Amino acid sequence: MRAIAFAASTAPMAQEAAHRLRLLYGEVAAEAADVIVALGGDGFMLQTLHGNSTLDVPVYGMNRGTIGFLMNEYSEEDLPDRLAQAVEEVINPLTMSAVTCDGSRHNALAINEVALLRAGPQAAKLRISVDGRLRMDELVCDGALVSTPAGSTAYNYSAHGPILPIGADVLALTAMAAFRPRRWRGALLPSGAVVRIDVLEPDKRPVMADADSRQSVRDVASVEIRSERAVGHRLLFDPGHGLEERLIREQFV
């Protein structure tokens, strides 16, 4: 039997589940665990992955939240067998390097997406370069984001971005409420691309940068975004219910 560490969101349903599972299967500290079982929703799964990124320990999620796209079905029965049969998938996060108007630099990792959002009453004006080559002189919009395949059904999808197969070596660059070029929907980029977004007129049209809705930086002047291949988050899924199947199924709802 694998040594298990349990992590639960603050939701009562998740806390109650963690209590029962600890009584049934025992628990070790995350540093000594063979697997971390996360109880909550997708937001808590992201929190768990970020919080344990220095540990080479896979995370098996069970849904005690709302949507649970990154989670398995909750059950208290046969947990050791489910863990033994689970299929592992490794996802690479994005790294965000944001420079603010005062010259300070802020770095963060994002498993789902890095988003730039207008922080004032006027639309943002952005300039987009890919691998050092200018691709768009001026994008007037409410914001823009770069998404991983794993995050393509989250904020990216709500902004009408494409759903990406989990094994695709691409990133999605998606605009939010693009005004000019009107209705520009974005682009698919190689996963190794370096995306730089410069904020035009930042004093008049302030913009904030956000990594996975966890770490926000206000008054940004520019942001560089790239896939961080040196970091791999290990997720476990029940057979036949991995990310690839979920991404396909999401497109036929």
Side-chain angles (χ1 to χ4, degrees), residues 4 17 28 35 40 57 60 67 110 112 140 143 146-147 150 168 196 219-221 223 235:
I4 304 172
V28 300
V35 60
V57 179
Y60 179 88
I67 298 175
N112 275 357
V140 182
V146 176
S147 168
R196 179 185 172 99
D219 297 322
V220 296
V223 178
L235 281 74

Side-chain angles (χ1 to χ4, degrees), residues 221-242:
S222 67
V223 178
E224 280 197 356
I225 306 159
R226 70 182 74 201
S227 179
E228 183 51 82
R229 299 299 182 91
V231 178
H233 295 287
R234 302 166 61 193
L235 281 74
L236 297 176
F237 294 97
D238 293 330
H241 297 278

Side-chain angles (χ1 to χ4, degrees), residues 54-103:
T54 59
L55 303 178
D56 187 24
V57 179
V59 179
Y60 179 88
M62 286 202 288
N63 190 18
R64 293 283 82 186
T66 306
I67 298 175
F69 182 81
L70 297 173
M71 317 299 278
N72 297 286
E73 183 179 349
Y74 178 77
S75 174
E76 296 175 14
E77 298 179 2
D78 303 322
L79 180 58
D81 290 338
R82 292 178 72 183
L83 294 176
Q85 297 173 27
V87 177
E88 180 174 311
E89 298 191 25
V90 178
I91 58 176
N92 301 113
L94 299 171
T95 181
M96 174 186 85
S97 181
V99 177
T100 59
C101 293
D102 64 7

